[in-house]
Amino acid sequence: MTQMHSDGDHIGAPMASLGPMVPVVSPRAADTDPRQDILGLAREDLRMALLAIGVPDRQANMRAKQIWQWVYHRGVTDFEAMSNVAKDVRARLTEHFRISRPEIVDAQYSSDGTRKYLLRFGDGTEAEAVYIPDEDRGTLCISSQVGCTLNCRFCHTGTMKLVRNLTPGEIVAQMMVARDDLGEWPASTDNRRVTNIVMMGMGEPLYNFDHVKKALQIVMDKEGIQLSRRRITLSTAGVVPMMLRCGQEIGVNLAVSLHAVNNETRDEIVPLNRKYRLEQLMEACAAYPGTHNARRITFEYVMLKGVNDSDADARDLVRLLTRYKLPAKVNLIPFNPWPGSPYECSDWDRIERFSDLVFKAGISAPIRTPRGRDIMAACGQLKSTSEKKRKSETLREQAALAQI
Ligand code: SF4
């Protein structure tokens, strides 16, 4: 996860602080609305839920399909608007279910078209999603956790404590909020504004595997949001044991937060490297299902002045990718500073030289234009600004403590 990714401040922390392989989900405080939220329910789960409220078996499949279409193709949040659903069924749906949206605490629009949303969920925790428009696409960067355990040192998110994993519904809801804001309803293939998804927001998606998988299956479902897996990228800091499952069970594109070409430097920048070494990570990349020259793995590489940006680093990067025969593309990310960050961005001519060296070896290494810098939405800058201004920090602390 690292388009928006960045790093934390616990670099000297012992290995134990890196967290378990799949962190335990901390309990959510109860929502005040007791009705079940149908966002994030798989179609089969919705069918079962309909049976449980007395929808006849012979109708349940059709009703689930109708409801999904209203929800994911039309953005409807009120069952009463579902005109092809029988009136008595609508009443029962309203009694038992809801179709929720997180509260938009803050929406910032950058001069370059980037939009950043600070969202508050039912228990008061908050996470961010960022929409980045380009000429031929609109990419939504989605968070998978509130906070992050990994403390990558260049990452602002990494300075937050992990509060909890987001639920499938909360992950899908980030897309729904963006589509509401962008006026994408009724959705059709012609008017899509969110054409791509990157799981690169707050959190390590492979530490919340089950929920991310469930959410992405809804996003890919032909009756759901209908986004092709080729348009979805999951970015990991290198949770090696989960990478194969990600390829086999979700099948989306893979991005890896690499950022260094030897263990010594990577140990510092991405502390998870102390647990899963660079060689293991490269082997897991080589084994990732479905990669070939037309579907390459993206390696994110943040340019840090005097840390990982030398000519020797560029040559070692080429050697590393070649040694493991990886169909690779490297994204060079000029470091986006944030208050208190321990690094500086490499000089521009250094970044260009680095890019040239990698390009000349036959590996694509574009320099990613920083987006949304003016609203702190760029790579590595995500951190709920609410932290400073809201008492939800207290809630986070409590939740983090409850988790230990
Ligand atoms: S894994 Fe966590 S700390 Fe590392 S870049 Fe991603 S959000 Fe930041």
Side-chain angles (χ1 to χ4, degrees):
M1 9 150 236
T2 265
Q3 173 150 340
M4 323 234 145
H5 272 189
S6 30
D7 291 34
D9 57 355
H10 297 180
I11 198 69
M15 282 300 303
S17 72
L18 293 175
M21 195 179 86
V22 181
V24 177
V25 182
S26 54
R28 298 179 77 221
D31 285 334
T32 46
D33 188 340
R35 295 174 303 167
Q36 184 176 17
D37 192 351
I38 65 166
L39 261 198
L41 280 189
R43 221 162 3 123
E44 178 57 16
D45 294 342
L46 177 58
R47 199 182 72 83
M48 300 302 285
L50 294 178
L51 291 174
I53 62 160
V55 173
D57 195 12
R58 63 180 187 287
Q59 282 186 20
N61 222 358
M62 182 249 308
R63 293 287 182 223
K65 202 167 158 179
Q66 284 174 325
I67 294 168
W68 259 42
Q69 286 179 348
W70 283 107
V71 171
Y72 294 118
H73 298 180
R74 296 190 164 263
V76 161
T77 54
D78 179 359
F79 293 106
E80 279 308 317
M82 300 183 177
S83 52
N84 59 353
V85 176
K87 211 163 181 234
D88 64 311
V89 177
R90 297 202 305 252
R92 256 180 291 161
L93 289 170
T94 306
E95 188 185 341
H96 296 280
F97 303 119
R98 62 191 155 116
I99 308 160
S100 74
R101 294 286 193 270
E103 179 192 347
I104 303 178
V105 181
D106 196 17
Q108 294 183 50
Y109 295 1
S110 163
S111 51
D112 68 12
T114 301
R115 299 181 179 201
K116 180 166 83 164
Y117 308 100
L118 172 63
L119 306 175
R120 183 182 296 155
F121 301 104
D123 64 349
T125 51
E126 293 167 353
E128 287 172 332
V130 180
Y131 175 74
I132 306 153
D134 272 308
E135 267 168 35
D136 58 340
R137 64 173 63 187
T139 303
L140 186 68
C141 180
I142 291 182
S143 294
S144 55
Q145 299 181 307
V146 179
C148 187
T149 47
L150 290 185
N151 309 127
C152 301
R153 194 135 191 251
F154 59 92
C155 176
H156 205 198
T157 304
T159 64
M160 292 173 71
K161 289 192 174 94
L162 175 73
V163 177
R164 66 174 173 84
N165 289 335
L166 292 175
T167 64
E170 290 164 341
I171 295 168
V172 171
Q174 295 172 59
M175 181 148 187
M176 303 301 276
V177 164
R179 298 173 88 195
D180 290 344
D181 186 48
L182 293 160
E184 218 182 71
W185 312 116
S188 78
T189 40
D190 299 334
N191 72 344
R192 266 193 198 279
R193 304 281 304 276
V194 180
T195 62
N196 293 62
I197 285 182
V198 288
M199 296 299 305
M200 294 186 184
M202 297 163 72
E204 163 57 63
L206 295 186
Y207 273 174
N208 187 15
F209 183 83
D210 290 342
H211 291 180
V212 167
K213 175 181 165 183
K214 203 165 178 187
L216 291 181
Q217 282 173 339
I218 291 169
V219 170
M220 295 186 287
D221 193 299
K222 61 181 181 350
E223 303 292 341
I225 297 174
Q226 292 180 306
L227 213 58
S228 156
R229 67 189 62 229
R230 287 190 300 276
R231 292 185 170 273
I232 302 173
T233 300
L234 181 146
S235 178
T236 179
V239 184
V240 167
M242 300 304 289
M243 287 169 62
L244 188 61
R245 277 190 69 193
C246 176
Q248 287 173 335
E249 296 177 31
I250 312 179
V252 292
N253 303 323
L254 182 70
V256 172
S257 298
L258 186 64
H259 309 308
V261 289
N262 57 63
N263 280 313
E264 197 189 346
T265 311
R266 198 162 189 272
D267 280 352
E268 182 199 318
I269 305 177
V270 184
L272 183 65
N273 194 68
R274 300 178 207 162
K275 196 167 185 176
Y276 305 116
R277 311 301 283 162
L278 192 54
E279 298 74 22
Q280 294 172 279
L281 176 59
M282 291 295 109
E283 276 161 20
C285 289
Y288 193 76
T291 51
H292 42 74
N293 279 339
R295 193 169 182 246
R296 292 171 291 173
I297 296 175
T298 303
F299 290 90
E300 310 283 354
Y301 198 96
V302 65
M303 298 300 295
L304 304 173
K305 190 174 194 166
V307 176
N308 63 356
D309 62 352
S310 68
D311 286 1
D313 288 320
R315 292 193 185 100
D316 284 348
L317 175 59
V318 170
R319 256 180 238 125
L320 189 67
L321 299 176
T322 312
R323 188 183 326 144
Y324 288 90
K325 300 188 175 62
L326 291 171
K329 172 186 164 191
V330 178
N331 269 341
L332 298 178
I333 307 161
F335 176 60
N336 290 302
W338 36 269
S341 55
Y343 298 116
E344 282 177 67
C345 182
S346 309
D347 295 333
W348 195 254
D349 55 355
R350 180 97 296 271
I351 300 177
E352 286 185 333
R353 163 97 181 143
F354 195 102
S355 172
D356 281 351
L357 285 171
V358 181
F359 260 120
K360 277 184 189 136
I363 297 170
S364 167
I367 303 168
R368 201 207 306 250
T369 325
R371 300 293 301 270
R373 261 188 170 169
D374 52 340
I375 56 169
M376 291 280 287
C379 173
Q381 291 184 313
L382 274 197
K383 176 173 179 176
S384 110
T385 29
S386 61
E387 255 216 331
K388 287 175 244 146
K389 39 186 195 195
R390 262 170 258 290
K391 54 185 185 236
S392 58
E393 173 64 13
T394 317
L395 190 64
R396 286 194 183 101
E397 298 278 352
Q398 286 165 349
L401 283 174
Q403 194 180 247
I404 292 166

